[in-house]
């Protein structure tokens, strides 16, 4: 029998298109000083760090959790600032879920960008994010958000709390297989990352 | 080792504020003829059925699924037409998840209404839905959407595909404990449902 007294209260959330999540239970921020090793052009990263300082905001996540266990969801907003490091557009660290079969929803509320997705065995997708567009990330896809616009990229996300995040996998692979870089005409293009050595655990 | 060849493609979805879900994998609709026993005022329901016919649309669900298994999500839109049956505002059938610990997100895209939530042991909540407002429904809450406005109520939802829906529980209880009815001044109010006999399985 379920212990009904332990059933948590539902969450009433106000979801701003600026990423403000009224009713949230936690917030975290990633700043430029946290992003070492994420961008391929290390010299451009060091120059930007010297220019903007380690506390410069890169992205902010506000989220709501109300339970643990296999059925629990984490619902939140991610707000990524625009910018580039060298030719590479601003990215989140990116992850595979620690429980890799867990899926995730990203629903774009404002701004313009991409969700970059790769499987361990080399499939790759870059799916557009713009207001009203959503991406359903199935399990087993490494994924990261990329801000290719001039404004903050804001998404509403939803995933199973027990999914967790494996943030080390991308570093172990020498970065994701694709880089999202400026195309010289004000837009973006995908470029193969020559440092990518394949993901650990991939089937040969 | 994961069978990587079976990893499904991610879904790129265009989510209209009118509920149109471009990229969907399925659609279902509930029509007035499907709603027998849902509303308390059976005479008003029969009159409306005679007036509008059994094919009159009550709500439409468009959804995207790309996998099965414990980590898979169902992402979709629900579009509820406005209206009343007697004093009672338009409702979805309502459900507890068949796997009751599974949670759900409802994010309102347009219209005005409520999410009505009840635990098996008698707790009750009515949480407002308006554009930009979301409700995080934890597991173990019976829930239904209610359109209290003059326009379609459109929500984006996300839940674990393995959650399933128990639609019989509310009928077994004589209806939900609370009814959302007109207040005589153009708004809504909650009224205790005298036919509600408690949910089966509740701890005494």
């Amino acid at each position: 029998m379920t212990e009904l007294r332990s059933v948590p209260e539902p969450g009433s959330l106000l979801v701003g298109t600026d990423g403000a999540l009224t009713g949230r239970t936690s917030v975290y921020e990633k700043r430029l000083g946290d992003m070492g090793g994420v961008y391929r052009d290390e010299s451009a990263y060091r120059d930007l760090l010297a220019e903007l300082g380690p506390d410069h905001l890169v992205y902010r996540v506000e989220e709501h959790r109300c339970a643990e266990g296999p059925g629990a969801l984490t619902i939140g907003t991610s707000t990524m600032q625009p910018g580039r490091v060298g030719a590479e557009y601003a990215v989140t660290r990116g992850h595979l879920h620690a429980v890799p079969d867990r899926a995730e929803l990203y629903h774009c509320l404002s701004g313009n960008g991409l969700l970059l997705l790769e499987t361990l065995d080399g499939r790759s997708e870059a799916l557009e994010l713009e207001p009203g567009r959503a991406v359903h990330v199935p399990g087993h896809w490494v994924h990261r958000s990329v801000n290719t616009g001039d404004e903050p990229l804001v998404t509403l996300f939803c995933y199973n709390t027990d999914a967790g995040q494996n943030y080390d996998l991308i570093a172990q692979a020498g970065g994701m297989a694709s880089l999202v870089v400026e195309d010289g005409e004000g837009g973006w293009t995908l470029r193969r990352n020559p440092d990518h050595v394949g993901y650990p655990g991939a089937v040969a």
Side-chain angles (χ1 to χ4, degrees), chain A residues 96 100 118-123 140-142 169 196 198-203:
Chain A
L96 181 69
E118 298 179 353
T119 58
L120 299 187
D121 62 348
R123 289 158 65 193
H140 303 290
W141 285 87
V142 178
L169 190 74
H196 178 75
Y199 290 106
V203 175

Side-chain angles (χ1 to χ4, degrees), chain A residues 27-47:
Chain A
V27 175
Y28 69 85
E29 293 181 335
K30 289 294 156 188
R31 297 178 177 276
L32 197 55
D34 302 319
M35 300 296 282
V38 172
Y39 292 97
R40 181 158 189 271
D41 187 338
E42 290 186 14
S43 157
Y45 172 71
R46 281 193 303 271
D47 289 351

Side-chain angles (χ1 to χ4, degrees), chain A residues 141-159:
Chain A
W141 285 87
V142 178
H143 53 283
R144 103 177 344 153
S145 302
V146 188
N147 188 342
T148 58
D150 300 322
E151 302 293 329
L153 174 65
V154 182
T155 52
L156 174 73
F157 61 79
C158 180
Y159 67 91

Side-chain angles (χ1 to χ4, degrees), chain A residues 44-106:
Chain A
Y45 172 71
R46 281 193 303 271
D47 289 351
L48 203 63
L49 201 57
E51 181 189 341
L52 301 174
D55 289 339
H56 181 79
L57 184 65
V58 179
Y59 60 95
R60 174 180 171 92
V61 174
E62 306 196 16
E63 58 188 28
H64 183 267
R65 295 181 179 191
C66 55
E68 299 295 326
L73 295 172
T74 298
I75 294 166
T77 55
S78 162
T79 304
M80 296 183 66
Q81 298 306 310
R84 286 199 317 274
V85 177
E88 205 178 343
Y89 283 99
V91 297
T92 55
R93 288 171 294 169
H95 60 269
L96 181 69
H97 289 144
V99 183
D101 71 359
R102 300 304 193 247
E104 188 159 358
L105 161 68
Y106 290 86

